[in-house]
Amino acid sequence: MAAEVIRVLVVDDHPVVRQGLRTFLDLWDDLEVVGEAADGAGCLAAADRLRPDVILLDLRMPGTDGVHALHGLRAAGNPARVLVITSFAEPSVIVPAVRAGAAGYVYKDVDPAALAAAVRSVHAGHVLLHPSVARLLAEGEARPGAAALTAREREVLTEVARGNSNREIAKTLLLSEKTVKAHMTAILGKLGLHDRTQAALYAVRTGLVSPAGW
Amino acid sequence: MAAEVIRVLVVDDHPVVRQGLRTFLDLWDDLEVVGEAADGAGCLAAADRLRPDVILLDLRMPGTDGVHALHGLRAAGNPARVLVITSFAEPSVIVPAVRAGAAGYVYKDVDPAALAAAVRSVHAGHVLLHPSVARLLAEGEARPGAAALTAREREVLTEVARGNSNREIAKTLLLSEKTVKAHMTAILGKLGLHDRTQAALYAVRTGLVSPAGW
DNA sequence: CAAACCCGGGGTCCTAGGACCAAAGTCCGA
DNA sequence: TCGGACTTTGGTCCTAGGACCCCGGGTTTG
């Protein structure tokens, strides 16, 4: 028994998904699931306690999300390699995660063999990137993404993505409508979008607002 | 060994989710996963071949979706009880499924014990509904939902939910802008919404358009 | 046959939205 | 201290969007 066992921590808010991932990984003798967590905070605690080699991390979770967890891992100097599990094809979701230290990502429709290969690959020190994501990283972001937004802009965008008008947002955030419009102009400029509808859709696609949010 | 075994078919487009559900159900001796399918068409074929007692069905899948599969099961006179697995809280997604014959639904964050209980319950002939869904069924739909839209209206809404302006939609669908506006007015009226942004969000939430559609 | 529905398209009109100009105050890092 | 970023708000102006009126043709159903 000379084969090294890769210790894996599974982080996803859905128990079904965690179980599916665990079962997939249990198919291989060289992979061992040493723990699970349901959000970013649980991830940090479990990573500290269990010292996994690889963390499978969903980005979009309630409470502390995946990107924040990545920052936390980095700040704690945790050496675990992080493989992001995502439903989202949008590079601008993934680029911030990669910038925050993720070693790669796989989509949720991954099959067991591909998942195992990805885990082994990041454990071996590789970085797994789709060409479109690699290009974005190389060029800097062609479309900066939500990371370029200020906190206030993000608040306004969140309200837009809840279907509210500028007037309603002004009331909610205790601003003048002029201010909301100014933020909106900034948001559209930064994201390279044409109107609020595109902005709302973008917010949903990138996980800023959940589709079931209202 | 007098206990009856409930035969279950698992239908979801994500292998990870299917595996998670299978593993959950395997925890109980009275539940047996007899097959899997990745979309509505696969569901119909498997249901016909395997004759499950209960089908766990995701509504939102590429190709033939869950509601269409429900219609197909009914048309085929298949007696299997259908338990919908959904990420969506929105009753207007679920009501059409229940109307199409689903015996109930559980959310994707369900734990193993609750899932098993739900399977047994629908197998025993019960209908599992949250009060808000039951009320909608009793009253008829307060908000008719996408089912009230004509085919053309649905096409226009799909384009709106892709972030296109009326002018762009007119070009795409070879219409005058006036006609697009007329459809838009009809859509907003039928869905009880105020503007296109809400309509786009609604389309995403109800699965008419996938968040990753553009 | 009439009614209902769907489709397409015309008109008028108003306002929400956004482009683009300006300004002031606060905070923080070099 | 100064400059940049952020936040807030004002102005002007134009147009996309949508409410609400109208019409005609085709199809289906009672």
Side-chain angles (χ1 to χ4, degrees):
Chain A
M1 283 306 302
E4 179 190 6
V5 172
I6 305 175
R7 300 159 47 76
V8 183
L9 172 65
V10 173
V11 184
D12 193 285
D13 55 322
H14 289 164
V16 165
V17 175
R18 294 203 299 273
Q19 183 58 251
L21 292 169
R22 180 185 278 266
T23 307
F24 278 8
L25 296 173
D26 282 346
L27 294 172
W28 281 276
D29 288 342
D30 62 323
L31 307 178
E32 177 194 6
V33 177
V34 295
E36 298 182 13
D39 63 11
C43 167
L44 293 177
D48 188 46
R49 196 176 70 246
L50 301 168
R51 317 306 297 184
D53 300 304
V54 174
I55 300 175
L56 295 186
L57 180 65
D58 186 22
L59 289 183
R60 184 168 150 192
M61 297 181 286
T64 314
D65 71 7
V67 173
H68 282 107
L70 280 159
H71 287 304
L73 289 167
R74 204 158 167 172
N78 195 303
R81 304 284 282 170
V82 178
L83 185 59
V84 167
I85 304 282
T86 180
S87 317
F88 292 93
E90 178 67 32
S92 69
V93 177
I94 291 160
V95 168
V98 174
R99 289 226 169 98
Y105 60 94
V106 292
Y107 294 119
K108 262 183 185 167
D109 64 359
V110 71
D111 65 60
L115 178 65
V119 169
R120 293 187 195 108
S121 193
V122 294
H123 177 60
H126 299 142
V127 173
L128 301 179
L129 296 179
H130 189 271
S132 66
V133 172
R135 188 168 58 242
L136 276 180
L137 282 166
E139 298 171 355
E141 294 184 321
R143 177 179 286 172
L149 301 179
T150 66
R152 202 60 164 161
E153 285 161 1
R154 209 168 289 116
E155 279 181 37
V156 170
L157 180 55
T158 297
E159 291 300 317
V160 169
R162 288 188 176 138
N164 294 318
S165 64
N166 290 339
R167 176 174 295 195
E168 288 165 338
I169 295 167
K171 280 187 194 152
T172 299
L173 302 183
L174 305 175
L175 303 174
S176 82
E177 197 174 325
K178 279 303 308 179
T179 303
V180 175
K181 288 183 175 184
H183 284 311
M184 204 60 222
T185 298
I187 289 165
L188 296 175
K190 287 179 179 179
L191 301 184
L193 303 172
H194 294 116
D195 56 59
R196 69 196 303 106
T197 304
Q198 293 180 346
L201 292 166
Y202 181 82
V204 169
R205 275 188 5 247
T206 56
L208 185 68
V209 171
S210 154
W214 66 288
Chain B
M1 284 306 301
E4 177 190 9
V5 172
I6 304 175
R7 298 158 48 75
V8 183
L9 172 64
V10 173
V11 185
D12 192 284
D13 56 323
H14 288 165
V16 166
V17 175
R18 293 203 298 275
Q19 183 57 250
L21 292 169
R22 180 184 279 268
T23 306
F24 278 9
L25 296 173
D26 283 346
L27 292 173
W28 280 276
D29 289 342
D30 63 323
L31 307 178
E32 176 194 6
V33 178
V34 296
E36 298 182 11
D39 63 11
C43 167
L44 293 177
D48 189 47
R49 195 176 71 248
L50 301 168
R51 319 305 296 185
D53 300 305
V54 174
I55 300 174
L56 294 186
L57 181 65
D58 185 21
L59 290 183
R60 185 166 149 191
M61 297 182 285
T64 313
D65 70 6
V67 172
H68 281 108
L70 280 159
H71 286 304
L73 289 168
R74 205 159 166 172
N78 196 302
R81 304 286 281 171
V82 178
L83 185 59
V84 167
I85 303 282
T86 181
S87 317
F88 291 94
E90 177 67 33
S92 69
V93 177
I94 293 161
V95 168
V98 175
R99 288 228 169 95
Y105 61 94
V106 292
Y107 294 120
K108 263 183 183 165
D109 63 359
V110 72
D111 66 61
L115 179 64
V119 169
R120 291 187 196 109
S121 194
V122 294
H123 177 58
H126 300 145
V127 173
L128 300 179
L129 296 179
H130 189 270
S132 66
V133 173
R135 187 168 57 242
L136 275 181
L137 283 166
E139 296 172 354
E141 293 184 325
R143 177 179 286 173
L149 301 180
T150 66
R152 202 60 164 160
E153 284 160 1
R154 208 168 288 118
E155 278 182 37
V156 170
L157 179 56
T158 297
E159 291 300 318
V160 168
R162 287 188 175 138
N164 294 319
S165 65
N166 289 339
R167 177 174 294 195
E168 288 165 338
I169 295 168
K171 280 185 194 152
T172 299
L173 301 182
L174 305 175
L175 302 174
S176 83
E177 199 176 324
K178 280 300 308 179
T179 303
V180 175
K181 286 185 180 185
H183 284 310
M184 203 59 222
T185 299
I187 289 164
L188 296 175
K190 286 181 181 181
L191 301 183
L193 303 173
H194 294 115
D195 56 59
R196 66 197 306 105
T197 304
Q198 291 180 345
L201 291 167
Y202 181 83
V204 169
R205 274 186 7 243
T206 56
L208 185 69
V209 171
S210 153
W214 66 289

